[in-house]
Amino acid sequence: MAPVLPLVLPLQARIRLAQGLWLLSWLLALASGLTLVSSGHLLAQLRHLGTFLAPSCRFPALPQAALAAGAVALGTGLGAAGASRASLDAARFPPWRGVLGPLLAAGTAGGGGLLILALGLALGLPMSLDQGLEEGLGIALAHYKDTEVPGRCQAKRLMDELQLKHHCCGRHGYKDWFGVQWVSSRYLDPNDQDVVDRIQSNVEGLYLTDGVPFSCCNPHSPRPCLQSRLSDPYAHPLFDPRQRNLNLWAQGCHEVLLGHLQDLSSTLGSMLAVTFLLQALVLLGLRYLQTALEGLGGVIDGEGETQGYLLPGGLKDMLKTAWLPGGGTHKPAPEEAPPEDDPPKEDQPEEA
């Protein structure tokens, strides 16, 4: 069986292959290290922003898969760097002969599979962010007032921190707060006629106002923040709602978070693509180096030419050999010779 993609490698070519492989291995280690940093940063961001994603959103799986893929790629790069360096030293190479096979298998099956999975997630999951943030931010606004409900005690603090840190207000704008009750019932006076009228005017029995929480206020505004009666043109004569960015944050949190998380996932996807390309080149070069040196019996400084290849035989021949029962071909049993006739008896003289 002819080997797949054979390549003749004399001594100088083997040396250049080992040196180039050593450089590529360290580039792979660097790229995988940056992948680990990018995925770790995205994972840390989701620890704070995951509250505003719907439970059905699978976006957090992207940094988790990228973290595992980067760790395997880092191990592959460091192992390939050590093997390629040892291949130039006759005294250091023999212990690596037993390591190259498992290293190639782990890098191809484990690292390659994880990188392809992470790349697929980086291409597909950011599309689900839109719906995940839409639903998650709606839930966060609805539970803003539940400061004493178990499991929702931190909803107000987290939403305020989000709006202050990312300079946003509401889901798509400050008017989103007009449609939810964001003031806790414990702070409402049931004897106040205005409170009673607002609750009775809503079919769901909610206390709705045309105001926003303090965290929507822009501290850089030259005027005091206007938080209430924002839809009443006579309440604030000098307030121009068309220039609300001078008073309230102009953008909604959905737009801000969507752009922020998509930028992080795009950076991570680019790092995964570079890591995948470098890992493919490293594994390819490592396989050629391994088969070339095995052809010399592990004698790395042999002057003769040797042949490197990817597979020892064609795929069709390998499958045929694997599926054939036994190792050799079945030989038909020789045909049985027809029974010979008894030799004729010679006429014997009659006894007298």
Side-chain angles (χ1 to χ4, degrees):
M1 295 183 292
V4 178
L5 297 178
L7 183 63
V8 177
L9 294 172
L11 177 61
Q12 292 301 319
R14 294 196 301 271
I15 292 176
R16 288 194 296 270
L17 174 61
Q19 292 172 343
L21 182 59
W22 180 83
L23 178 60
L24 281 176
S25 300
W26 281 112
L27 289 177
L28 173 61
L30 176 62
S32 56
L34 293 176
T35 300
L36 289 174
V37 172
S38 299
S39 55
H41 178 61
L42 179 55
L43 200 60
Q45 290 291 307
L46 289 177
R47 289 187 61 184
H48 302 286
L49 302 179
T51 308
F52 308 105
L53 287 174
S56 59
C57 184
R58 300 305 179 202
F59 183 76
L62 169 58
Q64 295 171 358
L67 204 62
V72 176
L74 179 61
T76 303
L78 295 177
S84 58
R85 181 66 179 271
S87 67
L88 298 174
D89 188 347
R92 296 175 56 190
F93 180 68
W96 284 91
R97 292 184 66 183
V99 178
L100 290 179
L103 180 62
L104 283 167
T108 304
L114 286 171
L115 282 172
I116 292 175
L117 173 62
L119 274 173
L121 294 177
L123 292 174
L125 284 183
M127 302 301 178
S128 66
L129 269 177
D130 193 352
Q131 184 62 32
L133 286 171
E134 184 76 18
E135 182 181 343
L137 285 170
I139 296 175
L141 264 66
H143 292 286
Y144 183 86
K145 68 180 187 304
D146 299 332
T147 55
E148 296 181 348
V149 177
R152 300 290 182 182
C153 302
Q154 304 298 323
K156 176 183 181 301
R157 179 183 64 83
L158 293 174
M159 192 65 197
D160 286 335
E161 290 179 352
L162 174 69
Q163 295 188 141
L164 288 171
K165 181 178 180 180
H166 292 274
H167 298 177
C168 59
C169 182
R171 182 163 49 180
H172 298 289
Y174 74 99
K175 289 186 178 180
D176 290 333
W177 288 106
F178 297 176
V180 297
Q181 179 181 338
W182 55 271
V183 180
S184 176
S185 299
R186 66 175 297 186
Y187 300 113
L188 299 177
D189 185 2
N191 298 321
D192 189 337
Q193 189 61 39
D194 180 66
V195 172
V196 174
D197 292 342
R198 287 181 180 274
I199 293 177
Q200 291 178 350
S201 63
N202 190 278
V203 293
E204 297 181 0
L206 300 176
Y207 178 76
L208 304 181
T209 64
D210 52 351
V212 297
F214 78 97
S215 52
C216 282
C217 295
N218 183 354
H220 304 291
S221 173
R223 61 179 298 168
C225 183
L226 304 177
Q227 296 178 247
S228 60
R229 301 176 66 182
L230 296 177
S231 59
D232 187 354
Y234 302 103
H236 312 288
L238 300 180
F239 174 67
D240 185 0
R242 292 172 298 179
Q243 296 182 356
R244 61 181 182 274
N245 60 316
L246 297 178
N247 188 74
L248 304 175
W249 301 122
Q251 289 184 306
C253 294
H254 179 276
E255 179 184 355
V256 173
L257 290 186
L258 183 63
H260 178 62
L261 292 177
Q262 284 184 342
D263 287 344
L264 291 178
S265 65
S266 176
T267 302
L268 180 56
S270 300
M271 293 307 308
L272 286 169
V274 172
T275 304
F276 179 78
L277 177 61
L278 288 173
Q279 178 152 323
L281 293 175
V282 166
L283 292 175
L284 188 67
L286 194 62
R287 175 59 176 168
Y288 273 107
L289 185 63
Q290 179 200 26
T291 53
L293 295 181
E294 288 299 325
L296 295 173
V299 181
I300 58 128
D301 53 352
E303 292 291 343
E305 290 185 352
T306 185
Q307 192 179 62
Y309 51 83
L310 290 183
L311 295 172
L315 184 60
K316 182 178 179 181
D317 294 334
M318 292 177 64
L319 290 176
K320 185 186 299 184
T321 304
W323 284 102
L324 279 177
T329 57
H330 177 69
K331 295 182 180 180
E335 297 181 358
E336 296 181 358
E340 297 181 358
D341 295 334
D342 295 336
K345 296 182 179 180
E346 296 180 356
D347 293 335
Q348 297 179 356
E350 297 180 356
E351 295 181 357

